[in-house]
Short mmCIF file of all heavy atoms in Angstrom, two decimals:
data_model
loop_
_atom_site.label_atom_id
_atom_site.label_comp_id
_atom_site.label_asym_id
_atom_site.label_seq_id
_atom_site.Cartn_x
_atom_site.Cartn_y
_atom_site.Cartn_z
N VAL A 581 -171.65 60.99 59.20
CA VAL A 581 -171.74 61.39 60.66
C VAL A 581 -170.69 60.97 61.58
O VAL A 581 -170.14 61.70 62.32
CB VAL A 581 -173.09 60.80 61.24
CG1 VAL A 581 -173.20 61.15 62.64
CG2 VAL A 581 -174.30 61.45 60.45
N MET A 582 -170.19 59.74 61.40
CA MET A 582 -169.14 59.18 62.14
C MET A 582 -167.85 59.88 61.75
O MET A 582 -166.98 60.11 62.81
CB MET A 582 -168.91 57.62 61.88
CG MET A 582 -167.95 56.93 62.87
SD MET A 582 -168.59 56.98 64.60
CE MET A 582 -167.26 56.25 65.39
N HIS A 583 -167.55 60.16 60.63
CA HIS A 583 -166.44 61.11 60.30
C HIS A 583 -166.42 62.37 60.90
O HIS A 583 -165.39 62.77 61.31
CB HIS A 583 -166.47 61.14 58.69
CG HIS A 583 -165.22 61.88 58.25
ND1 HIS A 583 -163.92 61.39 58.18
CD2 HIS A 583 -165.10 63.13 57.65
CE1 HIS A 583 -163.10 62.24 57.60
NE2 HIS A 583 -163.75 63.28 57.38
N ASN A 584 -167.60 63.08 61.06
CA ASN A 584 -167.69 64.27 61.71
C ASN A 584 -167.36 64.14 63.25
O ASN A 584 -166.83 64.98 63.85
CB ASN A 584 -169.05 64.93 61.50
CG ASN A 584 -169.05 65.67 60.17
OD1 ASN A 584 -168.72 66.88 60.23
ND2 ASN A 584 -169.46 65.09 59.03
N VAL A 585 -167.85 63.01 63.82
CA VAL A 585 -167.52 62.78 65.14
C VAL A 585 -166.19 62.68 65.38
O VAL A 585 -165.54 63.22 66.34
CB VAL A 585 -168.36 61.38 65.52
CG1 VAL A 585 -167.86 60.91 67.01
CG2 VAL A 585 -169.92 61.64 65.65
N SER A 586 -165.45 61.83 64.52
CA SER A 586 -164.07 61.71 64.64
C SER A 586 -163.27 62.87 64.55
O SER A 586 -162.32 63.27 65.28
CB SER A 586 -163.60 60.69 63.44
OG SER A 586 -162.18 60.59 63.46
N GLU A 587 -163.68 63.87 63.50
CA GLU A 587 -162.94 65.16 63.32
C GLU A 587 -163.27 65.96 64.60
O GLU A 587 -162.22 66.70 65.15
CB GLU A 587 -163.44 65.84 62.08
CG GLU A 587 -162.86 65.18 60.80
CD GLU A 587 -163.20 65.94 59.51
OE1 GLU A 587 -164.25 66.84 59.64
OE2 GLU A 587 -162.62 65.69 58.62
N LEU A 588 -164.47 66.03 65.12
CA LEU A 588 -164.77 66.92 66.20
C LEU A 588 -164.10 66.47 67.57
O LEU A 588 -163.53 67.33 68.25
CB LEU A 588 -166.37 66.96 66.47
CG LEU A 588 -167.00 68.14 65.93
CD1 LEU A 588 -166.94 68.16 64.44
CD2 LEU A 588 -168.52 68.16 66.36
N THR A 589 -163.93 65.28 67.84
CA THR A 589 -163.30 64.84 69.06
C THR A 589 -161.88 65.34 68.89
O THR A 589 -161.22 65.56 69.92
CB THR A 589 -163.43 63.31 69.18
OG1 THR A 589 -162.97 62.67 67.91
CG2 THR A 589 -164.80 62.99 69.55
N THR A 590 -161.26 65.23 67.66
CA THR A 590 -159.74 65.57 67.49
C THR A 590 -159.69 67.12 67.79
O THR A 590 -158.87 67.61 68.34
CB THR A 590 -159.36 65.25 66.17
OG1 THR A 590 -159.50 63.81 65.96
CG2 THR A 590 -157.90 65.59 65.95
N GLU A 591 -160.61 67.92 67.16
CA GLU A 591 -160.53 69.35 67.16
C GLU A 591 -160.83 69.95 68.54
O GLU A 591 -160.26 70.86 69.05
CB GLU A 591 -161.52 69.96 66.20
CG GLU A 591 -161.13 69.72 64.69
CD GLU A 591 -162.13 70.36 63.76
OE1 GLU A 591 -162.83 71.28 64.15
OE2 GLU A 591 -162.23 69.68 62.49
N ILE A 592 -161.72 69.41 69.41
CA ILE A 592 -162.14 69.87 70.67
C ILE A 592 -161.60 68.93 71.87
O ILE A 592 -162.27 69.03 72.94
CB ILE A 592 -163.65 70.12 70.70
CG1 ILE A 592 -164.52 68.77 70.74
CG2 ILE A 592 -164.04 70.99 69.67
CD1 ILE A 592 -165.86 68.90 70.90
N GLN A 593 -160.55 68.31 71.56
CA GLN A 593 -160.23 67.28 72.74
C GLN A 593 -159.68 68.01 73.95
O GLN A 593 -159.86 67.54 75.06
CB GLN A 593 -159.03 66.35 72.24
CG GLN A 593 -157.91 67.06 71.67
CD GLN A 593 -156.78 66.05 71.26
OE1 GLN A 593 -156.66 65.04 71.80
NE2 GLN A 593 -156.02 66.51 70.22
N ASN A 594 -159.25 69.29 73.74
CA ASN A 594 -158.72 70.09 74.89
C ASN A 594 -159.93 70.34 75.82
O ASN A 594 -159.70 70.44 77.03
CB ASN A 594 -158.05 71.31 74.42
CG ASN A 594 -156.63 71.01 73.82
OD1 ASN A 594 -155.98 70.10 74.14
ND2 ASN A 594 -156.23 71.92 72.82
N CYS A 595 -160.97 70.66 75.30
CA CYS A 595 -162.21 70.92 76.13
C CYS A 595 -162.81 69.73 76.59
O CYS A 595 -163.46 69.75 77.68
CB CYS A 595 -163.25 71.94 75.41
SG CYS A 595 -164.11 71.20 74.23
N LEU A 596 -162.82 68.55 75.88
CA LEU A 596 -163.37 67.38 76.29
C LEU A 596 -162.73 66.82 77.52
O LEU A 596 -163.38 66.23 78.39
CB LEU A 596 -163.46 66.48 75.11
CG LEU A 596 -164.29 66.61 74.06
CD1 LEU A 596 -164.12 65.58 72.86
CD2 LEU A 596 -165.84 66.62 74.45
N ILE A 597 -161.40 66.93 77.57
CA ILE A 597 -160.68 66.43 78.73
C ILE A 597 -160.83 67.24 79.95
O ILE A 597 -160.61 66.65 80.99
CB ILE A 597 -159.18 66.33 78.34
CG1 ILE A 597 -158.62 67.64 78.13
CG2 ILE A 597 -158.89 65.39 77.17
CD1 ILE A 597 -157.11 67.62 77.83
N LYS A 598 -161.47 68.26 79.87
CA LYS A 598 -161.82 69.12 81.13
C LYS A 598 -163.13 68.63 81.70
O LYS A 598 -163.32 69.07 83.02
CB LYS A 598 -161.87 70.59 80.68
CG LYS A 598 -160.65 71.21 80.17
CD LYS A 598 -160.92 72.70 79.78
CE LYS A 598 -159.71 73.33 79.01
NZ LYS A 598 -159.98 74.70 78.56
N LEU A 599 -163.88 67.92 80.99
CA LEU A 599 -165.11 67.45 81.59
C LEU A 599 -164.97 66.48 82.66
O LEU A 599 -164.05 65.74 82.65
CB LEU A 599 -166.08 66.94 80.43
CG LEU A 599 -166.39 67.80 79.29
CD1 LEU A 599 -167.21 67.07 78.11
CD2 LEU A 599 -167.23 69.01 79.67
N ASP A 600 -165.94 66.59 83.57
CA ASP A 600 -165.83 65.53 84.77
C ASP A 600 -166.10 64.16 84.33
O ASP A 600 -165.70 63.25 84.99
CB ASP A 600 -166.90 66.04 85.75
CG ASP A 600 -166.55 67.39 86.46
OD1 ASP A 600 -165.38 67.69 86.44
OD2 ASP A 600 -167.51 68.06 86.92
N SER A 601 -166.84 64.02 83.26
CA SER A 601 -167.23 62.60 82.72
C SER A 601 -167.53 62.66 81.24
O SER A 601 -167.84 63.74 80.72
CB SER A 601 -168.32 62.06 83.51
OG SER A 601 -169.41 62.79 83.25
N LEU A 602 -167.28 61.53 80.60
CA LEU A 602 -167.75 61.40 79.16
C LEU A 602 -168.57 60.23 78.99
O LEU A 602 -168.09 59.24 78.40
CB LEU A 602 -166.33 61.33 78.20
CG LEU A 602 -165.39 62.37 78.27
CD1 LEU A 602 -164.09 62.06 77.61
CD2 LEU A 602 -165.99 63.73 77.63
#
Side-chain angles (χ1 to χ4, degrees):
V581 174
M582 190 62 182
H583 182 69
N584 275 272
V585 171
S586 176
E587 287 188 342
L588 257 65
T589 51
T590 302
E591 291 179 24
I592 65 172
Q593 58 178 329
N594 291 332
C595 72
L596 289 174
I597 61 178
K598 299 176 185 177
L599 299 178
D600 295 334
S601 64
L602 296 171

